[in-house]
């Protein structure tokens, strides 16, 4: 004999879990009207659905100064519950560091189940400034899908913010030329040496030509490339490295987050 499930009990379960009315009713029917068992069942099903969603692209979401959280669609990115969860992750990372986001895994799974989308922490970072260091950040408006956190040694807060803005646009892969693995540089050289552009050029001239190509097409590439070698977006007549040197600063660290790429 099946258990009769009252509308009030269904509503109570829905209010507690955020699950759909029919899902709540079915869960209560399957658990004989046991509210706690039904909550557990819904959570288990939510975890299973979250696992299924895990491979789906998360090109929407929001970026804060220390974290990026992704979802699948723009409406969810503007959802108050999504924003509230994102803030809780931000607060946790601020207090305890990047690993703190993992402590909110159960909440992530529950929210994914409730909103019906794959929701992920795209990345998390926290910097602390020592004497002589400056922290600043930038999120690209209005969508807030790209954000950057930077740490400068020397300089000013305004220079640090300008640098964060540059990184949001230019998406560098390395900070200086010395950070680029030698095998990457050698592979790029071989591409240029074997290109049609160098066909017929004197052997003694090829090395110099390749160095010029590396400087413009690899080190200064946007996106990608080397931060200090890229043209400064605020004044393309100088490189980022030159702009920083003029401001008496150099980069200690940076982190770029994006939910759109």
């Amino acid at each position: 004999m099946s258990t009769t499930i009252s509308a009030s009990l269904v509503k109570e379960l829905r209010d507690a879990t955020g699950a759909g009315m029919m899902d709540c009713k079915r869960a209560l029917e399957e658990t004989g009207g046991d509210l706690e068992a039904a909550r557990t069942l819904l959570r288990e099903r939510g975890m299973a659905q979250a696992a299924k969603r895990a491979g789906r692209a998360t090109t929407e979401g929001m970026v804060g100064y220390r974290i990026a959280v992704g979802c699948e669609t723009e409406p969810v990115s503007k959802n108050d519950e999504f924003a509230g969860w994102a803030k809780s992750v931000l607060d946790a990372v601020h207090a305890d560091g990047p690993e703190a986001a993992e402590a909110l895994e159960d909440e992530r799974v529950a929210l994914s189940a409730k909103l019906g989308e794959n929701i992920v922490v795209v990345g998390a970072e926290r910097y602390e400034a020592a004497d002589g260091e400056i922290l600043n950040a930038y999120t690209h408006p209005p969508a807030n899908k790209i954000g950057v956190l930077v740490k400068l040694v020397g300089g000013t807060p305004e220079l640090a913010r300008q640098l964060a803005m540059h990184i949001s646009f230019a998406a560098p892969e390395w900070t200086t030329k010395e950070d680029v693995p030698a095998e990457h540089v050698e592979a790029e050289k071989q591409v240029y040496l074997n290109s049609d552009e160098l066909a017929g050029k004197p052997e003694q001239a090829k090395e110099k030509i390749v160095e010029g190509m590396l400087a413009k097409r690899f080190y200064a590439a946007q996106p990608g490339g080397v931060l200090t070698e890229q043209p400064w977006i605020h004044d393309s007549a100088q490189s980022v490295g030159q702009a920083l040197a003029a401001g008496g600063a150099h980069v200690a660290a940076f982190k770029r987050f994006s939910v759109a790429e």
Side-chain angles (χ1 to χ4, degrees):
M1 182 175 175
S2 61
T3 304
T4 300
I5 304 301
S6 67
S8 61
L9 191 60
V10 173
K11 183 178 185 302
E12 185 177 355
L13 181 59
R14 185 187 186 193
D15 290 344
T17 64
M21 292 289 283
M22 291 307 298
D23 288 334
C24 290
K25 184 178 180 182
R26 279 193 291 268
L28 286 164
E29 288 173 345
E30 291 178 34
T31 58
D34 185 323
L35 191 62
E36 286 305 312
R39 289 181 64 170
T40 299
L41 181 61
L42 284 172
R43 186 166 178 270
E44 289 172 350
R45 288 178 175 169
M47 291 177 69
Q49 290 299 316
K52 290 180 181 178
R53 297 184 189 105
R56 296 188 340 212
T58 55
T59 56
E60 297 292 337
M62 57 171 50
V63 176
Y65 289 158
R66 301 176 190 87
I67 62 163
V69 292
C71 57
E72 295 179 52
T73 63
E74 184 177 3
V76 166
S77 73
K78 297 178 179 178
N79 178 279
D80 288 343
E81 289 184 83
F82 177 79
W85 176 77
K87 185 179 184 305
S88 69
V89 178
L90 177 64
D91 291 343
V93 170
H94 175 67
D96 301 313
E99 298 77 14
E102 297 174 7
L104 298 172
E105 176 64 10
D106 286 351
E107 289 86 344
R108 183 195 70 79
V109 170
L111 187 63
S112 178
K114 183 174 183 178
L115 299 181
E117 290 197 5
N118 185 22
I119 293 172
V120 298
V121 177
V122 177
E125 186 62 272
R126 184 182 71 173
Y127 291 152
E128 297 182 10
D131 289 344
E133 294 180 338
I134 294 174
L135 302 181
N136 215 326
Y138 173 80
T139 55
H140 189 63
N144 293 338
K145 293 183 181 181
I146 298 174
V148 177
L149 183 64
V150 300
K151 181 195 289 190
L152 280 187
V153 177
T156 64
E158 178 57 25
L159 180 60
R161 178 169 172 77
Q162 287 181 334
L163 179 65
M165 189 180 298
H166 171 94
I167 293 169
S168 76
F169 170 80
E173 189 167 349
W174 301 282
T175 303
T176 68
K177 289 168 69 173
E178 289 69 33
D179 298 323
V180 185
E183 59 268 25
H184 282 48
V185 177
E186 187 57 33
E188 196 71 12
K189 279 186 176 182
Q190 290 305 313
V191 170
Y192 299 147
L193 284 169
N194 296 327
S195 69
D196 291 342
E197 292 178 78
L198 266 67
K201 299 288 185 182
E203 287 299 321
Q204 61 270 27
K206 285 185 178 181
E207 190 67 27
K208 187 174 182 179
I209 295 172
V210 166
E211 289 301 324
M213 295 168 78
L214 274 172
K216 292 182 179 180
R217 302 182 190 181
F218 182 65
Y219 293 129
Q222 296 181 2
V226 174
L227 174 60
T228 54
E229 303 299 311
Q230 291 176 329
W232 184 230
I233 65 165
H234 307 286
D235 177 9
S236 59
Q238 60 181 334
S239 69
V240 172
Q242 290 169 332
L244 292 175
H250 67 267
V251 181
F254 73 86
K255 181 72 174 181
R256 181 180 185 272
F257 298 113
S258 174
V259 298
E261 299 168 357

